[in-house]
């Protein structure tokens, strides 16, 4: 057995040789060995008694796993539109030139590779990048020059200036959640005092809806899980905040982790779950140590583990799993597949996770913010919580504000706040367009800024990207289309092909080769994606294109060769050479212009 095999064996054993731990095993093996060689995949497959194809399939699915050698320094620039607006493309080109490496390639000596990745959740302090998986923020020319020198000198990343890795919360507006006082265990004690049914009743009265985007009523989810067959229930926290422009969960995990974990424990109290899993996006792996520390403190305080707060039979603990760069895993069933150590392919529903989720067990999957909000309900009661916001959207909402504004950051508002109010507060007097809800969300033009952030008007998982008149709505939409084409999991043909076609049409328009009929084709692809996609990624992929096409049509039309131009093809003329070679020039060798062969 060589060193690589010995390391893989140790990692697999640490994970109890559980196939459901495959993704975690691959992440750790790559960390130890640099990349996942064919040999190490074979070895891991044998140790887990899994088909090698399954292991290779998982390794090939996630962007942050490499089955080929990559640089000892892996630098991935965040490629969200807000990073581009801050000059990320020039910075990437500058770094590549300085290190003599082509974008997307590894330097010949294996020292460094530089590439792009999808949004890293640092839009309020970009441009950002990941260096060996750890976020570096506020990139500018001097910092990029320093990074190039550190790489050349082969200074280990942990010895780089800590300032590079500083991630600020940038909380700009506080309300009930961000401004409240919280003592660990307080919310749990209040919920336990009400009993399991009484606590669920408070949740029902609060009408809390999921903050991850779908807006499903949390109490209904919890009740379905509680009532489902099977004793081994599970609570999953979806901390895979991958929607471009969203970063509010990052702030909650950084400074409100106790509330998030207490929310998970409240869900366990309601449902009877004994196991908790947090799925943390790979881009936030720098938070892993901190989150584990918070869990350890909670365990020591009797807030996790056996007999929580002295209650016999209330046993619950939480484990953290890492993602590895797959946006689709934010979809709850894809996330469950990933937690089970598989490719993140969305499942067919029903059955819903509440009845058949993680490893077939009844599972509650809630977003980070949703779980943190549950602590407010335990403390204030459902009625007090529901008194804020609107009839269908109770409580407050955290918004991740970025782009052309004076104060990017996290803002907490009661649901129902107008877009105009948010723009005023963040200092964006010249905003022309706002993308609410991220790449899959809604594009609003200035005449819609009176609209309200709420499930009944403009729903949002949290992203709020601001664009002024200097920005090109077409380029914003094109960036999002590239994102979806990259992130499509490839499971269903309409999305796999449709997102790729959409990208092709947008690139064609960008190159000045487009015609009016391309715009009609884009609308046709939109219908295809909306009607035939297996999951929300495919159906929402064209949203920004269609919105900008309707609301900012000149941005598209000025790229067309001519509004009247109709591409055509003269088949008869094209066949002239063939006629000459075959010596034919009779009527049957010609098209008559009607599409009929001449007679
Ligand atoms: Fe995968 Fe796209 Fe199909 Fe969803 S719609 S399952 S992301 S291919």
């Amino acid at each position: 057995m060589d060193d690589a095999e010995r390391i893989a064996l140790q990692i697999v054993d640490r994970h109890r040789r559980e196939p459901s731990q495959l993704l975690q095993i691959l992440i750790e093996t790559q960390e130890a060995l640099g990349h996942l060689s064919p040999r190490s995949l074979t070895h891991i497959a044998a140790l887990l008694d899994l088909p090698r194809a399954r292991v290779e399939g998982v390794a090939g699915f996630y962007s942050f796993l490499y089955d080929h050698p990559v640089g000892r320094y892996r630098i991935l620039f965040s490629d969200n539109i807000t990073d581009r607006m801050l000059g990320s493309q020039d910075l990437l080109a500058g770094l590549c030139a300085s290190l003599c490496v082509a974008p997307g390639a590894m330097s010949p000596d294996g020292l460094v590779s530089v590439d792009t990745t999808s949004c890293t959740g640092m839009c309020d302090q970009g441009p950002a990048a990941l260096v060996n998986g750890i976020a570096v923020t506020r990139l500018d020319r001097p910092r990029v020059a320093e990074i190039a020198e550190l790489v050349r000198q082969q200074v280990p990343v942990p010895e780089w200036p800590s300032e590079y890795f500083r991630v600020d919360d940038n909380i700009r507006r506080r309300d009930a959640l961000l401004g409240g006082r919280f003592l660990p265990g307080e919310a749990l004690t209040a919920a336990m005092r009400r009993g399991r049914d009484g606590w669920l009743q408070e949740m029902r009265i609060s009408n809390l809806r999921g903050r991850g985007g779908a807006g499903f009523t949390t109490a209904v989810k919890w009740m379905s899980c509680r009532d489902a067959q099977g004793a081994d229930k599970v609570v999953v926290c979806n901390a895979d905040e991958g929607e471009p422009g969203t970063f509010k969960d990052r702030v909650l995990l950084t400074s409100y982790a106790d509330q998030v974990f207490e929310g998970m424990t409240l869900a366990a109290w309601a449902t009877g779950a004994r196991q908790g899993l947090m799925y943390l996006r790979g881009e936030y792996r720098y938070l892993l140590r901190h989150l584990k520390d918070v869990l350890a403190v909670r365990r020591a305080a009797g807030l996790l583990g056996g007999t929580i707060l002295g209650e016999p039979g209330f046993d619950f603990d939480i484990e953290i799993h890492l993602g590895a760069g797959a946006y689709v895993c934010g979809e709850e069933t894809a996330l469950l597949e990933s937690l089970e150590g598989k490719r993140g392919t969305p499942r067919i529903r029903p059955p819903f996770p509440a009845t058949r989720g993680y490893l077939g067990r009844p599972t509650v999957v809630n977003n980070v913010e949703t779980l943190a909000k549950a602590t407010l309900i335990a403390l204030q009661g459902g009625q007090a919580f529901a008194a804020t916001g609107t009839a269908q959207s109770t409580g407050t909402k955290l918004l991740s504000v970025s782009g052309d504004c004076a104060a990017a950051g996290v803002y907490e508002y009661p649901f129902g706040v107008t877009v105009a109010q948010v723009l005023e507060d963040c200092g964006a007097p010249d905003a022309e367009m706002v993308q609410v809800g991220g790449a899959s969300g809604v594009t609003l033009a200035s005449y819609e800024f009176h609209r309200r952030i709420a499930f009944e008007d403009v729903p949002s998982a949290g992203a709020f990207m601001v664009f002024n008149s200097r920005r090109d709505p077409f380029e914003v939409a094109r960036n999002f289309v590239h994102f979806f084409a990259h992130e499509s999991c490839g499971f269903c043909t309409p999305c796999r092909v449709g997102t790729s076609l959409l990208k092709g049409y947008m690139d064609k328009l960008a190159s000045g080769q487009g015609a009016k009929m391309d715009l009609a084709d884009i609308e046709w692809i939109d219908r295809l994606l909306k009607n035939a996609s297996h999951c929300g990624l495919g159906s929402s992929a064209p949203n920004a294109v269609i919105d900008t096409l309707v609301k900012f049509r000149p941005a598209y039309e000025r790229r067309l060769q001519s509004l009247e131009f109709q591409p055509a093809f003269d088949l008869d003329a094209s066949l002239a050479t063939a006629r000459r070679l075959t010596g034919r020039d009779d009527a049957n060798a010609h098209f008559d212009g009607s599409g009929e062969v001449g007679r």
Side-chain angles (χ1 to χ4, degrees):
M1 188 181 288
D2 62 20
D3 277 355
E5 287 177 340
R6 229 184 320 276
I7 288 169
L9 175 64
Q10 283 167 3
I11 293 169
V12 171
D13 279 346
R14 196 161 59 242
H15 288 278
R16 309 174 299 277
R17 299 201 177 212
E18 282 280 346
S20 63
Q21 296 288 315
L22 176 58
L23 178 57
Q24 309 310 304
I25 290 168
L26 292 175
I27 292 171
E28 289 177 29
T29 305
Q30 178 172 280
E31 272 172 12
L33 302 175
H35 77 282
L36 298 166
S37 67
R39 254 187 95 175
S40 57
L41 294 181
T42 304
H43 189 55
I44 289 169
L47 290 171
L48 291 175
D49 199 17
L50 286 174
R52 190 187 184 284
R54 153 107 188 260
V55 176
E56 190 170 342
V58 172
F61 183 82
Y62 295 89
S63 298
F64 294 165
L65 295 181
Y66 305 101
D67 57 6
H68 54 274
V70 286
R72 294 199 294 288
Y73 293 86
R74 289 187 312 283
I75 303 177
L76 297 173
F77 279 75
S78 181
D79 198 28
N80 189 29
I81 186 67
T82 50
D83 292 283
R84 287 186 173 212
M85 285 156 55
L86 293 165
S88 63
Q89 289 172 297
D90 286 346
L91 295 173
L92 182 148
L95 184 65
C96 286
S98 173
L99 291 169
C100 300
V101 60
M106 180 175 70
S107 60
D109 58 359
L111 179 65
V112 61
S113 44
V114 182
D115 207 342
T116 55
T117 186
S118 299
C119 180
T120 55
M122 302 288 162
C123 314
D124 55 333
Q125 45 210 301
L130 299 175
V131 178
N132 291 357
I134 306 298
V136 175
T137 55
R138 298 176 196 79
L139 291 170
D140 53 16
R141 280 182 196 284
R143 183 160 290 182
V144 165
E146 288 164 20
I147 287 174
E149 193 51 33
L150 289 166
V151 171
R152 268 193 296 271
Q153 300 293 328
Q154 303 193 30
V155 177
V157 175
E159 293 172 25
W160 289 17
S162 58
E163 172 64 16
Y164 292 10
F165 306 99
R166 201 185 90 218
V167 178
D168 293 334
D169 280 353
N170 289 331
I171 297 173
R172 309 290 186 182
R173 189 183 193 280
R174 296 173 192 268
D175 208 299
L177 181 63
L178 301 182
R181 178 195 57 91
F182 181 76
L183 293 175
E186 210 180 7
L188 201 49
T189 306
M192 288 167 70
R193 212 179 294 126
R194 292 183 176 103
R196 293 181 195 263
D197 289 343
W199 164 228
L200 259 172
Q201 178 66 359
E202 287 303 324
M203 282 294 290
R204 206 186 53 73
I205 293 168
S206 76
N207 198 22
L208 174 68
R209 295 175 66 177
R211 298 317 200 229
F216 198 77
T217 309
T218 307
V220 172
K221 228 182 216 188
W222 289 11
M223 282 190 233
S224 307
C225 181
R226 179 198 62 180
D227 298 340
Q229 298 286 323
D232 287 341
K233 287 159 187 163
V234 186
V235 173
V236 171
C237 172
N238 182 347
D240 193 36
E241 174 180 56
E243 189 68 46
T246 314
F247 48 84
K248 47 96 186 168
D249 288 351
R250 181 200 82 211
V251 173
L252 291 176
L253 294 166
T254 305
S255 300
Y256 297 81
D258 247 314
Q259 264 156 290
V260 178
F261 290 136
E262 188 135 334
M264 290 179 74
T265 318
L266 287 167
W269 175 242
T271 58
R274 295 160 62 92
Q275 184 175 9
L277 297 165
M278 172 178 276
Y279 186 92
L280 180 68
R281 73 182 301 219
E283 290 82 347
Y284 293 170
R285 76 150 305 152
Y286 72 96
L287 289 171
L288 186 59
R289 183 71 268 146
H290 155 69
L291 291 169
K292 283 185 171 175
D293 288 348
V294 175
L295 285 177
V297 172
R298 290 185 68 82
R299 263 179 222 118
L303 299 173
L304 284 174
T307 322
I308 290 174
L309 287 176
E311 178 74 21
F314 186 15
D315 308 330
F316 179 70
D317 212 330
I318 298 169
E319 215 180 285
I320 302 174
H321 283 229
L322 274 175
Y327 166 78
V328 71
C329 290
E331 196 278 340
E332 62 176 4
T333 60
L335 182 144
L336 292 172
E337 289 286 296
S338 185
L339 275 176
E340 292 180 8
K342 301 176 191 158
R343 293 163 70 90
T345 304
R347 295 175 180 172
I348 292 167
R349 292 180 292 184
F352 291 95
T355 50
R356 273 189 72 185
Y358 177 68
L359 299 174
R361 294 150 53 187
T363 304
V364 156
V365 184
N366 284 136
N367 164 264
V368 168
E369 184 183 346
T370 313
L371 290 162
K373 290 278 162 63
T375 62
L376 295 182
I377 297 160
L379 290 169
Q380 311 167 347
Q383 213 143 29
F385 182 87
T388 309
T390 68
Q392 292 173 43
S393 313
T394 56
T396 61
K397 181 77 194 90
L398 268 57
L399 297 177
S400 314
V401 179
S402 63
D404 292 318
C405 60
V410 173
Y411 292 70
E412 183 182 14
Y413 288 101
F415 263 121
V417 64
T418 62
V419 171
Q421 183 64 58
V422 181
L423 290 171
E424 186 182 328
D425 293 348
C426 71
D430 55 351
E432 291 276 320
M433 181 176 107
V434 176
Q435 183 71 22
V436 183
S440 64
V442 184
T443 312
L444 299 178
S446 55
Y447 57 82
E448 299 173 285
F449 289 173
H450 62 282
R451 294 182 63 183
R452 296 180 181 278
I453 305 292
F455 291 109
E456 54 267 53
D457 191 357
V458 183
S460 172
F464 190 100
M465 289 184 269
V466 183
F467 304 94
N468 64 24
S469 57
R470 287 182 294 117
R471 309 299 175 187
D472 184 346
F474 171 84
E475 282 301 335
V476 174
R478 189 158 82 102
N479 176 269
F480 294 157
V481 163
H482 275 248
F483 166 78
F484 284 116
H486 178 258
E487 295 293 344
S488 167
C489 81
F491 171 74
C492 65
T493 310
C495 172
R496 186 179 64 247
V497 177
T499 52
S500 178
L501 282 174
L502 208 48
K503 178 178 141 186
Y505 276 112
M506 293 297 275
D507 288 349
K508 183 180 174 190
L509 291 168
S511 69
Q513 305 295 313
K516 208 170 173 183
M517 63 185 291
D518 295 320
L519 303 186
D521 283 352
I522 285 174
E523 285 165 358
W524 180 82
I525 295 169
D526 171 53
R527 288 194 293 279
L528 171 83
L529 280 162
K530 288 228 167 16
N531 294 324
S533 294
H534 175 57
C535 83
L537 185 152
S539 56
S540 60
N543 284 359
V545 177
I546 296 302
D547 273 353
T548 50
L549 197 48
V550 171
K551 299 172 188 176
F552 299 92
R553 199 168 178 95
Y556 286 76
E557 292 190 339
R558 70 164 177 267
R559 290 184 154 80
L560 306 183
Q561 288 203 333
S562 134
L563 278 178
E564 313 313 324
F565 174 71
Q566 286 288 332
F569 180 65
D570 187 345
L571 184 55
D572 201 48
S574 301
L575 290 172
T577 310
R579 275 195 301 271
R580 205 176 56 248
L581 289 173
T582 55
R584 284 189 63 183
D585 202 20
D586 56 288
N588 280 331
H590 284 274
F591 283 78
D592 63 4
S594 67
E596 297 279 322
V597 178
R599 294 170 197 279

